[in-house]
């Protein structure tokens, strides 16, 4: 368990101090195939560039892509917003691999994503990281940090490009 914790903290150090996408692979993960990439989206502005990069990667790997949004039970995203996002993605992006867009409701987003990955054979989880200052960190749990501690599969982390302008 301590090895998993150290792996997670080292991975977060890299993720928090990079300006490029990073793929973090658990030390005990030996399967090198990537047939299904899941991008955890919160309908953010940075999604567009990341989805383009993911579709290019998926094309190179001949992998399918699922864009997944997890709404909490306390704060469900409207079906109208989901449909508008889905229509936008299908209209805006060129893709040659299977592309799916899903929305689920779960009381815990991390657990919801984990269950989706297990149930749907996700091989690589991609997400956008928001680097926060000390005050923001005190009141917000980092989803990326939680996954770096528990994930049994590779995680691809994209940095929020708007943050690069502030550094």
């Amino acid at each position: 368990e301590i090895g998993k914790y150290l792996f997670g903290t080292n991975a977060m150090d890299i993720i928090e101090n990079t300006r490029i996408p990073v793929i973090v692979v658990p030390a005990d993960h030996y399967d090198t195939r990537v047939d299904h990439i899941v991008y955890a989206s919160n309908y953010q502005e940075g999604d567009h560039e990341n989805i383009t990069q993911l579709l290019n990667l998926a094309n190179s790997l001949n992998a399918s892509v699922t864009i997944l949004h997890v709404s909490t039970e306390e704060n469900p995203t409207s079906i109208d917003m989901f449909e508008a996002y889905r229509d936008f993605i299908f209209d805006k992006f060129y893709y040659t691999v299977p592309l799916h867009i899903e929305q689920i409701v779960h009381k815990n987003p991390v657990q919801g994503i984990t269950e989706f990955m297990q149930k749907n054979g996700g091989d690589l989880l991609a997400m956008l990281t928001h680097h926060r200052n000390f005050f923001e960190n005190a009141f917000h749990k980092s989803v990326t940090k939680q996954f770096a501690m528990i994930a049994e599969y590779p995680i691809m982390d994209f940095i929020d490009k708007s943050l690069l302008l502030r550094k």
Side-chain angles (χ1 to χ4, degrees):
E1 197 61 36
I2 189 73
K4 195 97 164 152
Y5 175 78
L6 290 174
F7 164 77
T9 56
N10 289 336
M12 282 311 299
D13 285 344
I14 293 167
I15 288 170
E16 289 173 350
N17 292 297
T18 189
R19 296 172 158 260
I20 59 173
V22 173
I23 297 177
V24 178
V25 181
D28 57 354
H29 185 81
Y30 298 104
D31 189 358
T32 58
R33 284 187 344 267
V34 176
D35 296 323
H36 184 196
I37 301 170
V38 176
Y39 179 69
S41 171
N42 209 12
Y43 304 146
Q44 300 161 89
E45 220 174 282
D47 281 350
H48 306 102
E49 184 176 328
N50 301 340
I51 291 169
T52 298
Q53 289 182 35
L54 276 179
L55 290 171
N56 289 333
L57 176 63
N59 188 50
S60 298
L61 298 171
N62 198 28
S64 64
V65 174
T66 299
I67 299 170
L68 175 67
H69 176 77
V70 180
S71 292
T72 60
E73 293 170 346
E74 300 83 37
N75 191 17
T77 302
S78 75
I79 193 70
D80 292 337
M81 180 181 276
F82 167 73
E83 289 175 349
Y85 185 80
R86 182 193 61 208
D87 294 345
F88 171 77
I89 296 297
F90 284 137
D91 290 344
K92 176 167 176 62
F93 294 95
Y94 172 78
Y95 53 93
T96 58
V97 296
L99 175 63
H100 309 279
I101 302 173
E102 305 276 341
Q103 176 174 284
I104 61 173
V105 176
H106 200 285
K107 64 183 173 191
N108 180 320
V110 171
Q111 189 63 37
I113 293 168
T114 300
E115 290 173 11
F116 184 91
M117 292 286 290
Q118 291 169 346
K119 191 185 307 183
N120 295 281
D123 300 307
L124 172 68
L125 174 64
M127 60 182 56
L128 178 65
T129 294
H130 298 281
H131 296 284
R132 295 178 169 83
N133 63 33
F134 175 78
F135 182 75
E136 292 168 324
N137 271 333
F139 296 100
H140 190 278
K141 287 183 182 175
S142 165
V143 172
T144 305
K145 188 177 285 187
Q146 291 177 61
F147 274 111
M149 300 295 185
I150 65 165
E152 297 175 1
Y153 38 77
I155 299 170
M156 183 172 192
D157 181 74
F158 292 97
I159 186 171
D160 183 346
K161 299 286 191 237
S162 67
L163 297 173
L164 295 177
L165 301 174
R166 293 188 236 162
K167 288 188 173 185

